[in-house]
């Protein structure tokens, strides 16, 4: 079973849901007078032109009366030139008909048109108690599952964000399984686990003899994912010089194996994940903004386990059942429920596995549990931070010094060696805190 979220077979109701529609989009005129300036693209196509009968009327002498049409498709938005005089352009190239990823821009005459996803409608999706065998009782997970269900009608790029261990790859697998390309391959590639000199080869493949060690032709992840899903895990680790190469491949669907001169073309749905703060990475120049917008048509955040403690019991019991163990007793659930789980659901799963095998929780979990419980009992959120910090430091220093001098039988030289503190400082500290040095 995957290491991050509990899974079970999809319910009959989930399997019999009506087929969802593609994600709605917003067609918006950017730099010209237009009436209206934007429209929501749903069931009916939108025609943009200079004529009064157009859905969006643009004041541009270079735009034909019925210039271009936009309509929805699972892959994004279909743009179709309607036989205009001056053409429709995407990335500087004239196009007759193509599918645009939401977030793209096209140009007609002197007018730029934005085609963006309707994220407001996505955020208002009905909440679901589970999604394709993934379970969560918390409002945050129910909302996430509702968004995943709504995304089934779309093949847009999705960026999955969250801490290590929350289950980002499992979410990606569920998105793939619910998509129109579910019969195609799901190809994961961990960008943070590839040696820098092999990133291009792992992404796009290589020709025999392209570099030292290239003893045979190799298919890369991009090509292996043809007609399926490419999952780029830890995308924030991708070297900066590789990012524009990936961007071009994503926008055109074309790539070259390392060592080859001819381009190959594939059809791939892209999902990506990261535990980094991508906005900060962009700000400091470690991640390209244009690649981010191509990958993050939709952004999904998987909450940490400490943000949804009501999920702990549900997941723990599901993990126990998956290990063939009877239901966990109340005292174990109680102990698990007060843990913060810095390793998130992966750490919870490991704890349940240890209990199923040994009959007790791991020592590391119990020690963190005890410290966290003690801090929660001590801290009063209604009192000033600095005041409580000083009290906590005082108690820690006194207790540490008592235990240290007890261990060394009052030998301050040995205490100084163990603690890394100056011998004279230990004496003064013991006197100030009233700690018995013997």
């Amino acid at each position: 079973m995957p290491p991050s979220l509990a899974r079970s077979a999809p319910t009959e109701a989930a399997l019999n849901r009506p087929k969802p529609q593609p994600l709605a989009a917003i067609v918006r005129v950017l730099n010209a007078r237009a009436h209206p300036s934007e429209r929501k693209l749903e069931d009916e196509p939108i025609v943009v032109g200079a004529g009064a009968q157009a859905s969006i009327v643009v004041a541009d002498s270079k735009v034909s009366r019925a210039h271009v049409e936009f309509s929805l498709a699972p892959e994004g938005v279909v743009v179709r030139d309607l036989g205009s005089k001056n053409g429709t352009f995407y990335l500087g190239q004239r196009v007759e008909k193509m599918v645009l990823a939401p977030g793209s821009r096209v140009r007609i005459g002197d007018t730029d048109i934005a085609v963006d996803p309707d994220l407001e409608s996505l955020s208002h999706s009905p909440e679901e108690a589970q999604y394709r065998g993934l379970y969560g009782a918390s409002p945050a997970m129910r909302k996430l599952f509702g968004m995943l269900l709504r995304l089934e009608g779309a093949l847009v790029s999705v960026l999955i964000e969250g801490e290590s261990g929350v289950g980002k790859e499992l979410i990606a697998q569920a998105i793939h399984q619910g998509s129109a390309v579910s019969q195609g391959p799901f190809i994961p590639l961990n960008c943070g686990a590839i040696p820098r000199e092999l990133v291009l080869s792992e992404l796009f493949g290589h020709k025999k003899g392209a570099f030292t060690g290239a003893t045979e032709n190799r298919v890369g992840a991009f090509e292996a994912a043809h007609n399926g899903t490419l999952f780029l895990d830890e995308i924030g680790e991708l070297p900066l010089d590789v990012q524009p190469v990936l961007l071009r491949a994503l926008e055109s669907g074309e790539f070259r194996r390392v060592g080859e001169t001819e381009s190959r073309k594939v059809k791939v749905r892209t999902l990506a994940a990261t535990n980094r703060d991508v906005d900060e990475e962009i700000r400091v120049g470690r991640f390209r903004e244009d690649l981010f917008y191509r990958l993050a048509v939709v952004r999904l955040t998987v909450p940490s386990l400490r943000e949804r403690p009501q999920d702990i019991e549900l997941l723990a019991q599901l993990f126990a059942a998956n290990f063939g163990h009877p239901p966990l007793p109340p005292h174990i659930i109680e102990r698990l429920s007060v843990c913060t789980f810095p390793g998130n659901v992966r750490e919870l799963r490991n704890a349940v596995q240890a209990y199923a095998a040994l009959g007790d929780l791991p020592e590391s979990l119990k020690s963190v549990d005890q410290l966290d419980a003690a801090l929660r009992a001590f801290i009063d959120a209604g009192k000033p931070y600095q005041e409580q910090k000083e009290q906590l430091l005082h108690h820690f220093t006194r207790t540490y010094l008592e235990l240290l001098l007890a261990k060394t039988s009052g030998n301050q030289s040995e205490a100084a060696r163990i603690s890394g503190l100056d011998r004279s400082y230990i004496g003064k500290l013991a006197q100030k805190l009233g700690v018995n040095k013997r």
Side-chain angles (χ1 to χ4, degrees):
M1 192 197 75
S4 298
L5 291 175
R7 294 186 71 97
S8 182
T11 63
E12 183 177 348
L15 294 172
N16 293 330
R17 288 191 183 105
K19 184 178 180 180
Q21 297 301 306
L23 184 64
I26 304 295
V27 178
R28 181 182 296 111
V29 176
L30 298 179
N31 58 345
R33 286 188 298 108
H35 180 74
S37 60
E38 65 179 53
R39 272 190 183 276
K40 189 174 186 176
L41 178 59
E42 295 182 287
D43 300 330
E44 298 296 322
I46 289 176
V47 174
V48 180
Q53 300 304 313
S55 310
I56 297 179
V57 181
V58 178
D60 184 338
S61 61
K62 296 181 181 178
V63 170
S64 300
R65 294 180 61 81
H67 196 112
V68 63
E69 177 189 81
F70 298 92
S71 59
L72 288 180
E75 297 88 348
V77 176
V78 178
V79 56
R80 182 168 68 94
D81 186 86
L82 299 176
S84 67
K85 180 180 180 181
N86 293 315
T88 299
F89 293 83
Y90 173 68
L91 297 178
Q93 300 294 316
R94 186 165 183 164
V95 297
E96 299 297 326
K97 183 179 180 180
M98 70 174 298
V99 179
L100 295 175
S104 299
R105 303 289 184 266
V106 297
R107 188 171 183 84
I108 59 174
D110 293 325
T111 301
D112 293 316
I113 300 175
V115 181
D116 293 321
D118 182 22
L119 299 179
E120 184 176 355
S121 65
L122 182 63
S123 65
H124 293 155
S125 301
E127 294 185 357
E128 295 285 328
Q130 64 91 31
Y131 181 74
R132 295 192 171 271
L134 305 179
Y135 286 86
S138 62
M141 292 306 293
R142 291 171 65 93
K143 181 177 180 181
L144 176 62
F145 294 156
M147 295 174 71
L148 294 178
L149 178 63
R150 181 66 186 86
L151 280 172
E152 287 192 357
L155 287 172
V156 296
S157 299
V158 179
L159 179 65
I160 307 167
E161 300 175 273
E163 296 177 5
S164 178
V166 295
K168 297 186 289 295
E169 181 169 351
L170 201 57
I171 292 290
Q173 290 175 347
I175 293 174
H176 170 73
Q177 292 166 5
S179 74
V181 296
S182 60
Q183 298 305 308
F186 176 85
I187 305 296
L189 182 67
N190 189 329
C191 300
I194 309 171
R196 184 182 184 89
E197 65 274 11
L198 295 179
V199 173
L200 283 175
S201 174
E202 291 291 327
L203 270 172
F204 304 117
H206 62 251
K207 180 182 178 181
K208 180 180 179 180
F211 52 84
T212 302
T215 58
E216 58 184 3
N217 294 334
R218 177 185 173 88
V219 174
F222 203 73
E223 187 174 356
H226 180 52
N227 288 328
T229 299
L230 173 63
F231 174 53
L232 298 171
D233 199 6
E234 301 304 340
I235 189 66
E237 305 289 339
L238 195 68
L240 193 59
D241 59 333
V242 175
Q243 293 179 25
V245 183
L246 175 61
L247 176 61
R248 286 194 296 272
L250 293 175
E251 291 190 329
S252 66
E254 296 183 353
F255 69 97
R256 293 177 182 175
R257 291 183 180 178
V258 177
E260 290 188 343
T261 57
E262 293 186 3
S263 295
R264 299 169 181 260
K265 194 169 182 66
V266 294
K267 187 177 181 182
V268 170
R269 196 267 182 91
T270 309
L271 306 175
T274 184
N275 58 13
R276 291 192 176 191
D277 182 343
V278 186
D279 297 296
E280 175 64 14
E281 295 294 295
I282 293 171
R283 189 189 69 80
V284 299
R286 285 194 293 262
F287 202 84
R288 288 177 62 107
E289 187 173 24
D290 48 5
L291 177 59
F292 165 77
Y293 284 120
R294 183 63 181 80
L295 292 169
V297 173
V298 172
R299 297 176 75 171
L300 297 178
T301 299
V302 186
S304 64
L305 193 54
R306 65 180 173 276
E307 296 175 277
R308 46 189 180 102
Q310 57 268 65
D311 285 342
I312 291 177
E313 180 176 2
L314 170 65
L315 296 177
Q317 296 291 16
L318 286 171
F319 285 138
N322 287 334
F323 292 131
H325 193 277
L328 300 175
H331 74 280
I332 292 297
I333 293 296
E334 184 178 352
R335 286 165 62 184
L336 290 172
S337 297
V338 297
C339 295
T340 55
F341 290 108
N344 289 294
V345 188
R346 182 184 293 118
E347 185 179 3
L348 172 61
R349 178 184 182 273
N350 292 342
V352 174
Q353 186 175 28
Y355 179 80
L358 305 173
D360 201 1
L361 297 176
E363 288 297 324
S364 59
L365 186 65
K366 289 190 287 185
S367 62
V368 172
D369 177 12
Q370 293 165 359
L371 176 60
D372 185 65
L375 287 172
R376 288 178 180 273
F378 176 84
I379 294 172
D380 183 351
K383 293 182 179 180
Y385 164 80
Q386 192 64 33
E387 173 187 325
Q388 292 190 83
K389 179 183 175 182
E390 290 173 359
Q391 289 178 4
L392 184 61
L393 183 60
H394 172 82
H395 286 294
F396 165 77
T397 305
R398 180 188 176 96
T399 302
Y400 177 79
L401 201 56
E402 287 176 344
L403 294 173
L404 177 66
L405 292 173
K407 179 180 178 66
T408 63
S409 300
N411 186 326
Q412 294 186 35
S413 297
E414 178 66 8
R417 185 190 66 79
I418 294 173
S419 66
L421 299 174
D422 185 83
R423 182 183 181 283
S424 61
Y425 178 72
I426 288 179
K428 293 177 182 177
L429 199 60
Q431 183 177 10
K432 177 182 177 181
L433 298 175
V435 176
N436 190 338
K437 291 180 281 186
R438 299 186 61 182

